[in-house]
Amino acid sequence: MSADTAKIMDGKAISQEIQTELASETSQFTQETGVTPCLAAVLVGADAASEVYVRNKQRACERVGLSSQLHKLPADTSQKTLLDLITELNNDPLVHGILVQLPLPAGLDSTQILDSINPEKDVDAFHPENVGLISQGRPRFLPCTPHGVQQILDRCGIELSGKHVVIVGRSEIVGKPMAMLLVNRDSTRGPQAANATVTICHSRTTDLAAITQTADVLIAAIGKAKFITADMVKPGAAVVDVGINRTAEGLVGDVDFDDVSTVAQHITPVPGGVGPLTVTMLMHNTLTAARIQTSNAAVE
Ligand code: NAP
């Protein structure tokens, strides 16, 4: 297979497609219920990258027809002040989703903060209750980045059922939940986008290349620039690059794009691959949260 045969999986275009669908679903929901789904973002400190991420999320809310709030706190905010704000947002019926932008400044216990979010408002799907539901194959919310990867693959026509998927990376945010979504029996896109045979690799994996070479679909979530090279990829595989690495040559992924394009059949670029989907799937979860809370309120 030559370099020009690797088809680019265009995350930006897919993200726009999903946002258009979400805008229409949100508009219908608001017309039927009178409720505008609202995402409250909490930003502690002045980390430049975090400010950009939060701004992007607010803009995406506007595009989809959701409302958003930004709660900006100084870097020296105490654990108690932050917990009090979460309690306030948990109790606010006008707020449906709560997002605490990570990383939090040193000294704050992010596990305690994330665990304090009402699981029905936990649109990042980090709360242990939501992780448990995902692992049992009955998710309330889907983790944004893994769900985005699943959307890209399915919308590019790549069937996962019965395929060998190798994930490099076992983080709680990407690698592990990614494996759970793909090994489940069904998905938001149907069973063809799940039911995979999944292998998870990490830094202690012996002979990594021998395993990645057996992947029909290879997902890289490592955090090391251009780590995956052509010799690690099976000819004809689909390669998804979750990595975002800031280097002297700009933003690059965990996959050596030019090299791997010579053997892969499908590949995501960085930027313009998985990144845009993460924000979009957060919008999807905020709408889901509003649906859940509105139907609960109707029953009470
Ligand atoms: P992380 O928590 O640092 O996890 C990295 C994983 O890679 C770990 O499981 C680690 O293994 C594994 N690893 C590191 N070196 C390895 C090696 N030499 N061989 C095999 N495995 C190795 O990172 P993360 O939060 O999952 O993020 C991964 C990347 O995705 C980062 O570049 C991040 O910026 C990016 N990201 C992008 C998005 C998006 O929206 N596109 C969202 C989230 C993250 P150990 O567990 O053994 O240490």
Side-chain angles (χ1 to χ4, degrees):
M1 202 154 296
S2 67
D4 53 357
T5 58
K7 191 172 181 308
I8 290 180
M9 296 186 277
D10 184 346
K12 209 168 159 195
I14 293 170
S15 166
Q16 280 163 0
E17 184 181 302
I18 299 173
Q19 286 193 12
T20 303
E21 293 166 11
L22 283 174
S24 148
E25 286 173 39
T26 303
S27 154
Q28 196 183 345
F29 171 77
T30 301
Q31 270 175 25
E32 285 169 7
T33 62
V35 172
T36 302
C38 174
L39 175 70
V42 178
L43 179 62
V44 187
D47 178 70
S50 292
E51 297 221 7
V52 172
Y53 289 141
V54 167
R55 207 175 312 130
N56 286 344
K57 287 166 187 172
Q58 289 192 292
R59 286 196 188 128
C61 281
E62 277 169 35
R63 281 196 297 275
V64 169
L66 311 176
S67 69
S68 67
Q69 299 179 357
L70 174 59
H71 298 267
K72 241 177 141 172
L73 301 175
D76 61 358
T77 297
S78 70
Q79 185 81 3
K80 180 173 182 318
T81 303
L82 189 48
L83 284 170
D84 286 347
L85 173 60
I86 302 291
T87 303
E88 199 182 298
L89 297 173
N90 280 341
N91 293 332
D92 185 343
L94 298 179
V95 168
H96 303 99
I98 302 171
L99 162 106
V100 176
Q101 186 63 46
L102 300 176
L104 288 171
L108 289 173
D109 177 351
S110 52
T111 303
Q112 189 193 29
I113 299 293
L114 297 177
D115 286 0
S116 74
I117 295 174
N118 174 349
E120 291 194 344
K121 297 191 177 189
D122 169 42
V123 285
D124 263 331
F126 292 159
H127 192 283
E129 182 177 313
N130 287 321
V131 176
L133 289 171
I134 295 161
S135 78
Q136 290 187 349
R138 50 186 188 125
R140 176 189 282 138
F141 299 116
L142 293 166
C144 299
T145 302
H147 190 200
V149 170
Q150 196 173 36
Q151 290 282 334
I152 291 181
L153 288 166
D154 193 60
R155 287 173 190 255
C156 289
I158 293 159
E159 165 127 18
L160 294 178
S161 180
K163 297 288 169 57
H164 185 205
V165 177
V166 174
I167 301 165
V168 188
R170 59 173 163 181
S171 72
E172 305 300 332
I173 294 176
V174 190
K176 248 194 240 176
M178 184 81 251
M180 286 195 281
L181 291 201
L182 300 187
V183 86
N184 275 341
R185 290 175 192 274
D186 208 349
S187 78
T188 52
R189 299 284 298 170
Q192 79 289 348
N195 289 298
T197 303
V198 180
T199 302
I200 308 179
C201 301
H202 46 76
S203 67
R204 304 285 181 96
T205 297
T206 310
D207 202 356
L208 180 66
I211 298 169
T212 56
Q213 279 160 3
T214 66
D216 300 308
V217 176
L218 178 60
I219 300 172
I222 309 161
K224 292 196 168 153
K226 299 188 180 185
F227 183 86
I228 302 288
T229 45
D231 56 316
M232 300 171 80
V233 176
K234 176 160 113 176
V239 178
V240 178
D241 190 351
V242 179
I244 300 174
N245 305 289
R246 285 165 218 284
T247 69
E249 61 176 279
L251 278 192
V252 300
D254 291 343
V255 174
D256 186 334
F257 183 86
D258 291 338
D259 192 28
V260 170
S261 293
T262 63
V263 291
Q265 192 164 11
H266 292 85
I267 189 165
T268 57
V270 176
V274 175
L277 267 297
T278 297
V279 178
T280 298
M281 300 335 290
L282 180 71
M283 305 297 109
H284 174 275
N285 284 351
T286 306
L287 175 58
T288 302
R291 285 194 204 282
I292 292 170
Q293 287 155 52
T294 305
S295 77
N296 284 351
V299 172
E300 278 162 14

